[in-house]
Amino acid sequence: MNNHQGKTRCIKKYESSTPILIPSFSSKGFPQVQELHNYLKPKLTAASLVSTYDLHYGYLLNDDIYESDILFVDSGGYERNQEHDISDIYNCLYFPRAWNESLYEQQLKKLKPVTDIVIVNFDYAEFTPLEEQITRAKSTFGKFPEYATDFLCKPVSADEAIINVNDVIYKLAALSIFDVIGFTEKELGHSIFERANNIYRIRKALTDAGLEIPIHIFGCLDPLSVILYYLCGADIFDGLSWLRFSIKNGTPTYMNHHAISNGIWNKYDSEVKVISYAENLVELSQLKERLVKFTESSEWSCLGINEEELEQFNRIFEMIEGISDNE
């Protein structure tokens, strides 16, 4: 893994250094998200992500979202769609409400620049060529120049539900106007390896072009995946898994498992969840610190992974580097 791509980069508009690990909030799967957010917001000192959809429908209140040093404001595409992300363990029925670009922009106009804010472009339901995605995003972002821009790149056709990496690399010059380039984890490939390889390819192309734009992986906050994708060149990670699992020493477990193994089996399930959420925020902060220490020292021990996990990472990178050498 000598050619790993993990390093400190920054969101230039604010000089915000990466890596950035973002606890996300959403009404999708968490209908009591406002109560949850209000309880946890004093602990959201570094970063957080909320959705314009949730702000519009009152699941979150606009005045309550500015606790973190940097706030990511998503476009509401996740809440509008019925599909669930990779970490969702429930896949319960979900019925979204009406959502469109006009409602999205109405919420952006209500934002207050009292903290560093990064806005994500509108996620259209229909598939469009990458050129059109870029043009639309430029138009939207141009209306809100006070905020940093996070361009969420989407697949271009229903037949191709995965990002066309060659197309992305070909259009890096056009993408360079954005502060951050983002991808949803599940749209980067059909396997961990495919996603890792595609992140590596995009980062290497950016580096070769002299661009240090951060890469944002949406829907990924699993600690081991974060480390792998960070080594491949991703910089910013957000997700809801911190609300679905209890993370202990970098390993997500079911809440019941956590309750038993930590001697809080006599507490109500609701109490166990609240305890886990607070502990998970500490775990994410510690994970970020390990990534930073690794970047500064190049000592693999700083990552806090065991020998078996390191061996798997080595195997993944051997394959990635083999593919890269043959291109």
Side-chain angles (χ1 to χ4, degrees):
M1 291 190 287
N2 293 329
N3 293 326
H4 74 82
Q5 304 294 314
K7 63 176 289 187
T8 299
R9 299 180 179 89
C10 74
I11 300 174
K12 288 185 178 179
K13 188 174 186 68
Y14 303 125
E15 296 298 321
S16 300
S17 295
T18 65
I20 302 175
L21 275 59
I22 314 167
S24 298
F25 291 86
S26 176
S27 61
K28 185 175 179 178
F30 304 92
Q32 305 302 319
V33 66
Q34 182 175 318
E35 180 181 344
L36 182 62
H37 184 272
N38 285 342
Y39 176 78
L40 290 167
K41 67 181 182 180
K43 302 178 186 298
L44 299 172
T45 56
S48 59
L49 180 147
V50 299
S51 164
T52 47
Y53 177 102
D54 287 341
L55 293 171
H56 174 74
Y57 284 109
Y59 292 109
L60 291 171
L61 300 180
N62 190 71
D63 290 339
D64 294 339
I65 61 174
Y66 304 102
E67 293 295 321
S68 54
D69 294 334
I70 187 165
L71 172 68
F72 287 74
V73 181
D74 204 359
S75 69
Y78 175 73
E79 288 78 15
R80 178 203 61 215
N81 296 334
Q82 287 190 309
E83 295 84 13
H84 295 263
D85 61 30
I86 289 174
S87 72
D88 198 333
I89 59 176
Y90 303 110
N91 281 323
C92 57
L93 289 175
Y94 175 75
F95 300 99
R97 301 163 80 172
W99 190 239
N100 56 51
E101 187 175 18
S102 176
L103 297 177
Y104 153 78
E105 289 195 5
Q106 286 178 32
Q107 289 308 131
L108 292 184
K109 291 175 183 176
K110 295 178 182 179
L111 294 175
K112 302 174 183 179
V114 295
T115 190
D116 292 345
I117 295 177
V118 182
I119 58 174
V120 182
N121 55 299
F122 189 73
D123 180 2
Y124 294 90
E126 72 274 13
F127 295 94
T128 57
L130 184 55
E131 298 94 326
E132 187 172 345
Q133 293 180 40
I134 294 171
T135 299
R136 287 177 170 182
K138 285 171 61 178
S139 175
T140 299
F141 291 150
K143 300 173 187 177
F144 305 95
E146 64 270 42
Y147 304 127
T149 58
D150 190 340
F151 175 73
L152 176 58
C153 182
K154 301 292 291 182
V156 300
S157 73
D159 297 330
E160 210 172 323
I162 301 300
I163 293 294
N164 185 327
V165 175
N166 290 332
D167 195 22
V168 171
I169 292 173
Y170 183 70
K171 294 180 175 65
L172 285 185
L175 292 169
S176 66
I177 63 169
F178 304 119
D179 296 304
V180 179
I181 302 174
F183 309 90
T184 65
E185 182 186 14
K186 67 180 182 181
E187 290 173 345
L188 276 167
H190 297 291
S191 68
I192 291 286
F193 173 75
E194 190 174 344
R195 293 189 283 273
N197 185 52
N198 283 337
I199 292 169
Y200 184 91
R201 289 183 61 205
I202 294 168
R203 170 54 64 200
K204 189 173 183 302
L206 284 166
T207 301
D208 290 345
L211 300 172
E212 291 295 333
I213 302 170
I215 294 174
H216 181 174
I217 308 300
F218 288 80
C220 174
L221 214 54
D222 164 64
L224 202 57
S225 300
V226 166
I227 295 172
L228 174 62
Y229 297 155
Y230 178 76
L231 294 174
C232 290
D235 310 275
I236 303 170
F237 307 86
D238 82 84
L240 292 164
S241 57
W242 74 285
L243 295 174
R244 295 181 177 130
F245 302 94
S246 175
I247 304 171
K248 195 74 170 179
N249 298 321
T251 302
T253 63
Y254 290 108
M255 294 291 182
N256 286 354
H257 181 102
H258 178 72
I260 296 170
S261 63
N262 287 273
I264 53 175
W265 34 262
N266 59 331
K267 295 187 179 297
Y268 284 9
D269 291 341
S270 57
E271 292 181 87
V272 172
K273 288 181 179 180
V274 169
I275 292 170
S276 293
Y277 299 154
E279 292 176 345
N280 287 349
L281 289 175
V282 174
E283 284 274 343
L284 291 176
S285 177
Q286 291 174 345
L287 173 57
K288 175 181 175 176
E289 290 176 5
R290 293 200 301 272
L291 293 175
V292 171
K293 287 180 180 178
F294 167 77
T295 304
E296 293 172 346
S297 68
S298 296
E299 294 289 338
W300 296 102
S301 59
C302 292
L303 292 174
I305 58 177
N306 61 42
E307 290 185 7
E308 292 181 0
E309 291 164 342
L310 183 59
E311 173 59 25
Q312 295 304 323
F313 280 10
N314 275 311
R315 292 177 62 189
I316 291 170
F317 266 82
E318 283 176 5
M319 290 184 65
I320 288 175
E321 290 166 354
I323 292 171
S324 179
D325 290 342
N326 291 324
E327 287 183 344

